[in-house]
Amino acid sequence: REVRELGFRDIEREQLVTFRIHGVTPAFIREMRELGYENISADDLVQLRIHGVDSKFVRALSRKKDGSNRSR
């Protein structure tokens, strides 16, 4: 239900199972959106998790891109 409330209204049951297997949680979706990935697809969310990407990783990349080493 939470995933559907986050905009994935037409998501198939199979995709929900894939989310569960790979750790794509409503919290993860919200974190990615807070980091600027508002329109990320279900498949892209799964790929991020498969490759070990989390909000800490994205923040670290953003700091490097900005030339900052500050913790956020």
Side-chain angles (χ1 to χ4, degrees):
R1 182 177 54 201
E2 282 183 84
V3 170
R4 287 191 170 100
E5 289 171 0
L6 288 168
F8 294 94
R9 288 177 181 82
D10 297 328
I11 196 163
E12 300 286 331
R13 187 172 290 158
E14 180 180 304
Q15 187 71 45
L16 289 171
V17 171
T18 301
F19 274 19
R20 178 73 156 196
I21 290 168
H22 295 292
V24 176
T25 63
F28 178 71
I29 296 168
R30 282 190 290 275
E31 288 172 355
M32 290 299 106
R33 288 184 173 171
E34 288 170 6
L35 291 167
Y37 298 93
E38 291 92 11
N39 296 316
I40 194 164
S41 73
D43 289 336
D44 286 341
L45 287 164
V46 171
Q47 290 299 313
L48 288 171
R49 296 303 292 153
I50 287 172
H51 294 289
V53 174
D54 60 12
S55 59
K56 284 183 181 181
F57 182 81
V58 174
R59 283 188 187 95
L61 285 178
S62 294
R63 284 193 300 274
K64 287 185 184 241
K65 179 182 170 193
D66 294 341
S68 170
N69 290 321
R70 296 178 302 158
S71 293
R72 292 186 185 185

